[in-house]
Amino acid sequence: MSEKEVCPIMHLFEFIGKKWVLLIIKSISDGCMCFSDIEKTLNGINPRILSNRLKELEDYGFVLSHIKENTKNKTIYCLTEK
């Protein structure tokens, strides 16, 4: 086994070091935001990259998403306590 497979902390640091991850976390740190608002705060991010990073942040447990009531497919992203 390689060291990366053994050490989950190393894997986490590699993820956090990916482009845009910390900026996404920072953008939603003051409160929940919808995708388009996050995209506006991160001038120049590709929507596909933003979508992928938000999914990865959900997988790691840093972000929760839910669909806002009374809207069509408006997903809201919030940081977890983690």
Side-chain angles (χ1 to χ4, degrees), residues 15 18-29 32-39 41-42 45-65 75-80:
F15 169 67
K18 283 184 175 182
K19 189 173 183 180
W20 298 108
V21 170
L22 288 176
L23 293 171
I24 293 168
I25 290 171
K26 170 67 175 112
S27 71
I28 56 178
S29 65
C32 301
M33 297 176 80
C34 67
F35 185 92
S36 61
D37 290 339
I38 298 169
E39 187 178 19
T41 64
L42 301 173
I45 192 169
N46 180 303
R48 185 179 54 84
I49 296 293
L50 177 56
S51 179
N52 287 342
R53 294 296 185 261
L54 286 168
K55 175 68 174 126
E56 290 172 321
L57 284 164
E58 275 191 275
D59 291 345
Y60 275 100
F62 291 112
V63 170
L64 288 176
S65 67
T75 304
I76 304 297
Y77 297 91
C78 303
L79 288 180
T80 63

Side-chain angles (χ1 to χ4, degrees), residues 67-75:
I67 296 179
K68 188 174 181 179
E69 292 180 28
N70 302 324
T71 62
K72 290 184 179 179
N73 298 327
K74 189 163 190 171
T75 304

